[in-house]
Amino acid sequence: MATTSALSSLSSLSLHNTTSRITTSSRPTISFSFLKRPSSLTPLKASSDQTETIFFEDQNPEITANAVFDPPSPPEGFVPAPYFDEGADETEAEIATAYEELYGPAYSGESMLGKDVNVMDSKLKKGGGGGIGGQKPKKEKIRDGFEERVVQVRRVTKVVKGGKQLKFRAIVVVGDKQGNVGVGCAKAKEVVAAVQKSAIDARRNLVQVPMTKYLTFPHRSEGDYGAAKVMLRPASPGTGVIAGGAVRIVLEMAGVENALGKQLGSNNALNNARATLAAVQQMRQFKDVALERGIPMEELWK
Amino acid sequence: MTKRYWNIDLEEMMRAGVHFGHGTRKWNPRMAPYISAKRKGIHIINLTRTARFLSEACDLVFDAASRGKQFLIVGTKNKAADLVSRAAIRARCHYVNKKWLGGMLTNWSTTEKRLHKFRDLRTEQKTEGFHRLPKRDAAVLKRQLSRLETYLGGIKYMTGLPDIVIIIDQQEEYTALRECITLGIPTISLIDTNCNPDLADISIPANDDAIASIRFILNKLVFAICEGRSSYIQNS
């Protein structure tokens, strides 16, 4: 009870839209899980007796205006601590020791407690080569269960005073065949390096494709990015993926077996790939919509 | 989160000058709910709300510290630089008080390489390696070392990305805030009347110009961190 009241008071204070933060598994995030975001609680509370739709109820200015500051009473014998710059100055050695107890010697170059100073080197070599974006010199072709497919490799030039500087731009689609896809684009001086870079970029923005049990979409959708417009339509099992170029590769990497897709606007490969991602992001599963609207699923099919 | 008593005194806040905002012409209209009045061309911040936010922030910080999370305090205004370093050292947190290098968090792998270099230079300095080199090389390395010390001195104990970031002036540290948002790191920041309160997770409306007001707020947060740390040490 105390936690819910604390959470609701927090939500009543923050004039805050937390929708724009998409944390996926491939990004190095620190899970802020001990404090659930208030916005994740509200969609599931839809009840049929709440007829008026109050949007941004927790961001209503009147409620923050009524927020009274009533601190709990001070405990007995409370002595306010001195400010941080008053009080005795600590020697450098004391500070270094205190930090080292908490964090280990890390990058300080000297160890007060006699610990190994090069502890970070061994950690780097052992554990996270690909963890926080470090590059291992030797790389497995398929890591983390994601398959990569190159959509397009183009040679691009930059004209400088001395002549033309050539680079390669690779567009790669990365996906496990279970509904997670990502599109990445990167440039490098060599084709292989460009492909690897763009695979990393692709893993950074993954999208979840909602799929039915027959490995197709729940409904039609259109998505656009730039001048590329893509229309996606579900199909009955046995149809296969009927789409051109970049759209086909994205859908195949997602694991979708039966779908129809058409590029309606421009033919640009990168923009079409991104447009399919946009189209797929708009799609909702039936049960999610029913949950959000608070109505049984049968109503949606009428 | 249980509510604790943080000794937030409204009179003390007024004496520190926490309620002064920036000039009326420079305000961000999104700050309207937190502004109580306009006096002599300056907006006055509503201190009850500030106190409420500050106590919530202290609760959050206490909770996080008692679970052993890592903090980073960012404050690069030259008025606040000294305060930030002393506050962070007192609370045993990481801090950035000189310029926030772009990509410090989002490009953490490169920052880590600089930290490695920093550590190697420090060890060489300790083992008198600089005396063996010719004078020019030694001078170059010393210059590099001093440069790394100013920019990375506060984060030399940081092994990974921090869990909570405290930002002193949102206008000034906009890049830092943006980096935390892309990485999904929760932020607490001091908002003045010209800032956008929706960006940070917990925004404390306060005066970011006066040293006394920054000192007051930092003191409360540092106190909360210390308390949380001591309970973490007791429990583990």
Side-chain angles (χ1 to χ4, degrees):
Chain A
M1 198 52 206
T3 45
T4 51
S5 69
L7 278 176
S8 60
S9 66
L10 184 58
S11 64
S12 73
L13 285 174
S14 57
L15 267 71
H16 192 40
N17 257 329
T18 54
T19 48
S20 58
R21 219 149 314 153
I22 309 170
T23 51
T24 58
S25 55
S26 61
R27 195 176 284 153
T29 52
I30 287 86
S31 56
F32 189 33
S33 56
F34 62 93
L35 177 67
K36 282 221 193 75
R37 314 253 74 215
S39 60
S40 68
L41 295 175
T42 38
L44 300 177
K45 271 199 297 189
S47 55
S48 52
D49 46 71
Q50 204 179 18
T51 46
E52 10 151 22
T53 44
I54 304 177
F55 297 116
F56 313 118
E57 173 184 327
D58 48 8
Q59 299 167 15
N60 201 344
E62 279 109 68
I63 296 186
T64 45
N66 296 337
V68 183
F69 176 55
D70 50 355
S73 49
E76 301 101 36
F78 179 84
V79 176
Y83 271 68
F84 51 81
D85 40 3
E86 294 160 13
D89 276 330
E90 304 160 308
T91 60
E92 299 248 351
E94 282 177 23
I95 298 173
T97 333
Y99 267 101
E100 203 166 318
E101 277 171 7
L102 278 174
Y103 303 114
Y107 300 104
S108 56
E110 56 202 1
S111 170
M112 294 283 160
L113 302 172
K115 292 192 196 155
D116 176 25
V117 184
N118 293 323
V119 67
M120 294 311 294
D121 277 339
S122 56
K123 271 200 196 152
L124 200 68
K125 280 192 189 129
K126 230 191 282 177
I132 312 188
Q135 295 265 345
K136 266 196 253 194
K138 221 187 290 176
K139 249 183 297 248
E140 315 94 53
K141 275 295 159 71
I142 303 177
R143 36 175 169 137
D144 318 338
F146 273 115
E147 211 190 300
E148 310 168 0
R149 187 124 30 120
V150 174
V151 171
Q152 191 194 62
V153 169
R154 256 196 184 170
R155 196 175 68 173
V156 293
T157 47
K158 171 179 164 166
V159 176
V160 294
K161 191 160 92 173
K164 296 182 191 160
Q165 286 188 354
L166 303 175
K167 272 196 209 176
F168 291 94
R169 184 188 75 166
I171 304 172
V172 161
V173 170
V174 138
D176 62 357
K177 302 282 173 76
Q178 262 110 42
N180 298 314
V181 258
V183 171
C185 172
K187 301 191 303 218
K189 286 212 174 136
E190 292 194 359
V191 177
V192 183
V195 166
Q196 285 169 350
K197 254 194 201 175
S198 64
I200 294 173
D201 188 37
R203 270 161 241 257
R204 230 177 276 203
N205 33 13
L206 291 174
V207 153
Q208 175 96 15
V209 176
M211 282 206 286
T212 63
K213 77 172 177 219
Y214 297 113
L215 301 178
T216 183
F217 303 124
H219 57 85
R220 284 182 84 152
S221 100
E222 283 188 9
D224 47 6
Y225 188 92
K229 196 159 136 173
V230 162
M231 191 268 288
L232 296 173
R233 188 179 158 238
S236 48
T239 316
V241 174
I242 304 187
V247 180
R248 159 180 290 242
I249 296 185
V250 168
L251 295 181
E252 279 179 6
M253 290 280 108
V256 173
E257 293 269 310
N258 314 296
L260 302 169
K262 177 105 184 90
Q263 297 178 7
L264 295 169
S266 95
N267 292 331
N268 187 304
L270 177 59
N271 283 352
N272 275 306
R274 293 209 176 129
T276 46
L277 289 192
V280 145
Q281 259 172 323
Q282 287 172 4
M283 290 188 190
R284 305 273 169 263
Q285 292 277 23
F286 278 107
K287 49 182 190 290
D288 295 335
V289 172
L291 215 63
E292 250 190 78
R293 289 172 64 180
I295 52 181
M297 280 219 302
E298 284 76 31
E299 295 264 338
L300 293 169
W301 295 324
K302 289 204 182 135
Chain B
M1 279 196 306
T2 53
K3 275 200 184 163
R4 288 160 199 277
Y5 176 69
W6 296 114
N7 189 27
I8 297 173
D9 192 13
L10 295 181
E11 281 88 31
E12 206 181 332
M13 283 211 265
M14 296 211 55
R15 267 180 283 141
V18 174
H19 58 296
F20 291 121
H22 283 304
T24 20
R25 290 163 189 276
K26 288 206 254 176
W27 77 313
N28 188 329
R30 276 180 247 231
M31 290 294 291
Y34 307 121
I35 293 176
S36 71
K38 203 169 29 162
R39 222 184 289 164
K40 288 196 186 172
I42 295 184
H43 281 296
I44 306 291
I45 298 173
N46 189 336
L47 277 183
T48 46
R49 284 165 215 171
T50 303
R52 185 77 186 272
F53 275 115
L54 185 54
S55 67
E56 297 276 353
C58 286
D59 282 330
L60 171 70
V61 148
F62 176 88
D63 230 20
S66 58
R67 286 163 216 243
K69 305 278 178 187
Q70 301 200 353
F71 297 90
L72 173 65
I73 307 186
V74 181
T76 59
K77 293 168 80 137
N78 33 12
K79 282 190 217 178
D82 197 33
L83 281 177
V84 161
S85 71
R86 295 182 78 162
I89 288 176
R90 172 61 74 91
R92 316 286 180 235
C93 306
H94 315 289
Y95 64 96
V96 173
N97 66 343
K98 294 289 177 199
K99 171 168 162 42
W100 169 275
L101 309 171
M104 235 187 214
L105 294 182
T106 44
N107 199 359
W108 176 247
S109 53
T110 309
T111 314
E112 246 194 319
K113 290 196 187 122
R114 287 289 95 197
L115 284 171
H116 278 292
K117 183 92 192 280
F118 183 43
R119 193 237 350 247
D120 296 334
L121 284 178
R122 282 284 285 264
T123 43
E124 249 183 84
Q125 192 190 41
K126 276 200 85 179
T127 59
E128 309 290 316
F130 287 173
H131 294 317
R132 274 174 249 147
L133 295 166
K135 202 159 81 167
R136 188 173 175 279
D137 293 346
V140 161
L141 289 181
K142 262 197 208 149
R143 218 178 303 142
Q144 280 184 2
L145 182 59
S146 69
R147 203 161 182 280
L148 287 174
E149 176 73 51
T150 48
Y151 291 124
L152 302 181
I155 58 173
K156 62 184 181 223
Y157 288 98
M158 198 148 95
T159 52
L161 296 173
D163 299 303
I164 295 193
V165 171
I166 302 175
I167 297 179
I168 297 299
D169 183 2
Q170 198 173 293
Q171 287 282 81
E172 185 92 17
E173 327 291 347
Y174 190 63
T175 31
L177 187 65
R178 278 261 82 129
E179 286 193 24
C180 297
I181 293 177
T182 46
L183 290 174
I185 300 178
T187 46
I188 301 173
S189 75
L190 286 196
I191 306 278
D192 209 333
T193 49
N194 59 351
C195 305
N196 185 356
D198 306 331
L199 291 172
D201 285 299
I202 298 187
S203 41
I204 306 175
N207 185 6
D208 56 23
D209 260 341
I211 298 182
S213 109
I214 300 177
R215 190 167 168 262
F216 176 84
I217 306 247
L218 270 183
N219 187 47
K220 297 289 177 245
L221 290 171
V222 157
F223 179 59
I225 298 177
C226 288
E227 294 276 299
R229 279 268 165 71
S230 57
S231 81
Y232 173 66
I233 293 174
Q234 272 174 8
N235 291 346
S236 66

